[in-house]
Amino acid sequence: IDNEHGIMNQETIFDMIRAAQCQRTPAIVRCTNSTPDMMHKVLDMGAEGILVPVINTAEDAREVIKSALYPPEGERGIAYFTRAASYGMIDDKAGFLKKANEEVFISIQLETGAAIENLDEILEVEGIDMFFIGPNDLAASLGLPNPHPEMTKIIKETIQKIIAKGKTVGIFVTDDEAAKKYIELGAKFILTSITQYMTTGVREYLIKSKNN
């Protein structure tokens, strides 16, 4: 659920989380930024995970961990009246906190030259479940077009480093060929946007209608 580029309020995000889970599909929310309040909100809503943009350093990654985990592992604020805590209908509160820390899916985005430069240190941060590559922002940060041979090389090396650490790789793709390529390289989490497919369909319809 994209709350970085998507336009939606908190109530809409809440409804989307519940709708996904009604279909037994885990909900991962891409946060607006890496501030604790955004992460706290969506996790209190009951989302299974977060995707946090623009992580440039190991310290940035550690701050995400602090925000996503309850004490003593992190600094997430405790409230038992939230949806995540079954609106207070839990008897074993200590067990709830432990289970929440164990099960939350924490992912961060690598999308700048600084992130690639600091990748070795970022990969040493414990608790990150998935490292997500943003090709478009990364290319812009490096002053390269996307696609570009140098971008292909950088992304391949980044994926290899992440996998070598035993971590999960995610990446944004715009078509099935890119998805296939990155899956073959080892990516497990593939993100795309439905908007382009909707606009392509509308454009084709309008062209056909005009020709008729």
Side-chain angles (χ1 to χ4, degrees), residues 26-27 42 64 67 72 74-75 100 111 134 136 141 144 164 166 171-172 177 186 209:
V42 298
V64 173
S67 298
E75 299 176 356
E111 49 190 341
N136 292 327
S141 173
L144 295 170
I171 194 165
F172 180 82
E177 286 300 318
S209 298

Side-chain angles (χ1 to χ4, degrees), residues 37-98:
D37 59 333
M38 183 75 243
M39 289 181 265
H40 291 173
K41 283 287 186 185
V42 298
L43 292 176
D44 280 350
M45 290 177 191
E48 281 85 358
I50 52 173
L51 176 58
V52 184
V54 197
I55 299 301
N56 293 325
T57 66
E59 184 56 33
D60 289 344
R62 282 189 285 268
E63 289 300 316
V64 173
I65 295 295
K66 286 182 186 178
S67 298
L69 299 182
Y70 289 118
E73 288 87 351
E75 299 176 356
R76 179 181 169 188
I78 298 172
Y80 296 113
F81 56 82
T82 64
R83 179 173 182 267
S86 300
Y87 300 108
M89 294 185 293
I90 49 174
D91 297 321
D92 183 4
K93 291 182 172 58
F96 161 74
L97 298 179
K98 183 175 183 293

Side-chain angles (χ1 to χ4, degrees), residues 52-58 60-61 108-123 131-134 137-138 141-142 154 158 161-162:
V52 184
V54 197
I55 299 301
N56 293 325
T57 66
D60 289 344
I108 61 172
Q109 294 183 205
L110 309 171
E111 49 190 341
T112 66
I116 301 304
E117 184 178 339
N118 297 318
L119 181 59
D120 291 338
E121 291 81 5
I122 294 172
L123 288 172
F131 295 82
F132 182 87
I133 301 166
D137 285 309
L138 179 57
S141 173
L142 296 172
I154 290 170
T158 301
K161 278 191 175 184
I162 296 169

Side-chain angles (χ1 to χ4, degrees), residues 174-186:
T174 55
D175 55 55
D176 58 325
E177 286 300 318
K180 181 181 178 182
K181 176 175 70 175
Y182 292 128
I183 288 171
E184 288 175 350
L185 288 174

